[in-house]
Amino acid sequence: DRMGGVCLHEVLMSNRTDVAQVLMEFEANLDVSDCDGTTPRTMATAGGPFSAVANLVNRAAARQRRQELKSAQRTCSNCGKSEGVTLSCCSRCKSVYFCSKECQREQWPIHK
């Protein structure tokens, strides 16, 4: 609109949970700011009269953060490969990944 707002801003202000559910289902961007620099994410964390929609937005934001963390962490600890390989989790610590037995063996002196 002329004030720089996006659809999710209006949905938050009008407390339309039905529309918010559809937007969250299609992964609406929570970080688009209006002309004042306010994003739907900041509006949702501020609470206020739109708490039902804010809960939906906050859950979607948490889901996005978890997905970003998962994709960032899933790389081979030795060679750094992440795409086109099957990564196996270290059976001992469960926090690092390796693309092959060779990478696991090379990393073992440092990782153990």
Side-chain angles (χ1 to χ4, degrees):
D1 69 0
R2 63 186 174 85
M3 298 303 289
V6 294
C7 185
L8 199 48
H9 285 107
E10 298 299 323
V11 169
L12 275 159
M13 288 187 281
S14 61
N15 207 20
R16 295 282 310 270
T17 56
D18 56 335
V19 178
Q21 285 175 335
V22 171
L23 290 172
M24 295 301 101
E25 183 179 319
F26 287 98
E27 300 178 0
N29 189 343
L30 304 176
D31 298 313
V32 176
S33 60
D34 62 4
C35 60
D36 294 331
T38 305
T39 66
R41 186 185 306 261
T42 58
M43 288 174 72
T45 56
F50 33 79
S51 62
V53 175
N55 288 336
L56 289 171
V57 171
N58 286 330
R59 282 196 305 258
R63 192 169 38 254
Q64 284 179 357
R65 279 191 298 273
R66 281 192 304 272
Q67 289 173 348
E68 289 168 2
L69 285 173
K70 268 186 176 179
S71 66
Q73 292 173 350
R74 300 277 174 127
T75 59
C76 178
S77 292
N78 189 49
C79 67
K81 289 181 186 174
S82 61
E83 296 183 20
V85 294
T86 302
L87 297 171
S88 300
C89 182
C90 173
S91 60
R92 186 174 181 197
C93 73
K94 309 241 187 287
S95 63
V96 297
Y97 296 88
F98 299 102
C99 65
S100 66
K101 289 284 186 188
E102 291 79 27
C103 279
Q104 188 175 9
R105 283 189 195 108
E106 286 178 31
Q107 190 72 18
W108 179 245
I110 299 166
H111 179 64
K112 68 177 180 177

